[in-house]
Amino acid sequence: MPLLAASMLCAPAMAQDAKVGRAKASAQCAVCHGQNGVAQMPTAANLAGQQELYLVKALEDFRSGKRENEMMTVVAKGLSDADIANLAAWFASIPVTVQPLP
């Protein structure tokens, strides 16, 4: 039972909707992070396939000012908890293929 309780603490608190997150990302994130989560700018992170909990924490930290970046701090301030959950669900749902080096 303790394992179950611990796993519940790690789960996002609200239901996520990747489809809604995709629409929001298309309108707000794609210029820097790309339509498919692969960065279009060398100073932007690739978000495709990133861990959902990591994305939620990063966006919450940008929103609160705990983490700072000139662009992300401004963008994240306008995000609701639902926006953050949906964006994280979308970017986490994008499949990424990694090939080992020869």
Side-chain angles (χ1 to χ4, degrees), residues 32-34 36-41 44-50 54-55 91:
C32 298
H33 297 287
N36 61 356
V38 177
Q40 301 301 298
M41 301 169 55
N46 291 326
L47 301 179
Q50 184 59 266
Y54 172 82
L55 291 169
F91 285 115

